[in-house]
Amino acid sequence: MKNYTVHPLADVQCENIGNDTMIWQFTVILAGAKIGSNCNLNAQVFVENDVIIGNNVTIKSGVQVWDGVTLEDNVFVGPNVTFTNDLFPKSKQYPKKFEKTLVKKGASIGANATIIAGIVIGENALIGAGSVVTKNVPANTIWYGNPAVQKGII
């Protein structure tokens, strides 16, 4: 039984969606994705197949979540955040496997940040708007800049 809401202008091919999740217009979710309960996927979000989204996750407009990305529970992803999954992209040449990126519980990523493939953002970490994250971020820290560097502790 479907206990989530999909806007009529969304294209949701996935059936693995938790209760009380809201999917807004012009969002596309491919069949292999896994999405938890009580999530909010705003307008114009794209979610690929090999993606796991935990419970209570908010993804703001204009975000693409590519194969290999996992967002654990209570993660916030601001508008137009960019995830990558291939460190050496070439047209029509795909890696044998895409890099895995993990955003741990309670982390927040500010608007327009870029998250380079293959990193871990620790629990409750805060990534400032516009940052370019090129390496792992420890739990309970504040990072911003280009490249992002640690600026504080939560």
Side-chain angles (χ1 to χ4, degrees):
M1 179 175 184
K2 180 179 141 185
N3 290 319
Y4 53 89
T5 303
V6 176
H7 191 282
L9 295 177
D11 177 6
V12 178
Q13 301 162 21
C14 170
E15 294 184 15
N16 193 352
I17 300 172
N19 293 334
D20 301 319
T21 287
M22 181 66 196
I23 299 167
W24 291 93
Q25 65 270 31
F26 312 120
T27 291
V28 175
I29 303 174
L30 299 185
K34 296 176 179 72
I35 300 172
S37 298
N38 198 37
C39 293
N40 189 13
L41 280 66
N42 285 194
Q44 299 175 332
V45 169
F46 178 79
V47 178
E48 247 182 340
N49 284 295
D50 182 23
V51 170
I52 299 170
I53 297 173
N55 299 318
N56 305 310
V57 172
T58 297
I59 302 176
K60 293 302 214 176
S61 297
V63 175
Q64 297 84 42
V65 188
W66 304 112
D67 284 339
V69 175
T70 296
L71 308 175
E72 291 187 345
D73 296 347
N74 303 306
V75 165
F76 174 85
V77 180
N80 300 305
V81 165
T82 298
F83 291 97
T84 66
N85 66 356
D86 186 347
L87 294 173
F88 304 99
K90 298 264 188 198
S91 181
K92 303 295 182 186
Q93 297 177 28
Y94 304 105
K96 291 182 180 170
K97 69 177 185 83
F98 288 106
E99 297 290 328
K100 300 291 186 186
T101 298
L102 174 61
V103 181
K104 291 193 168 189
K105 294 177 185 174
S108 293
I109 304 172
N112 292 307
T114 298
I115 312 302
I116 300 302
I119 65 164
V120 175
I121 297 176
E123 287 190 24
N124 302 312
L126 175 61
I127 307 300
S131 296
V132 178
V133 181
T134 60
K135 58 187 170 183
N136 292 339
V137 172
N140 304 305
T141 57
I142 301 168
W143 288 57
Y144 56 89
N146 181 5
V149 295
Q150 185 176 340
K151 299 287 188 165
I153 297 172
I154 296 175

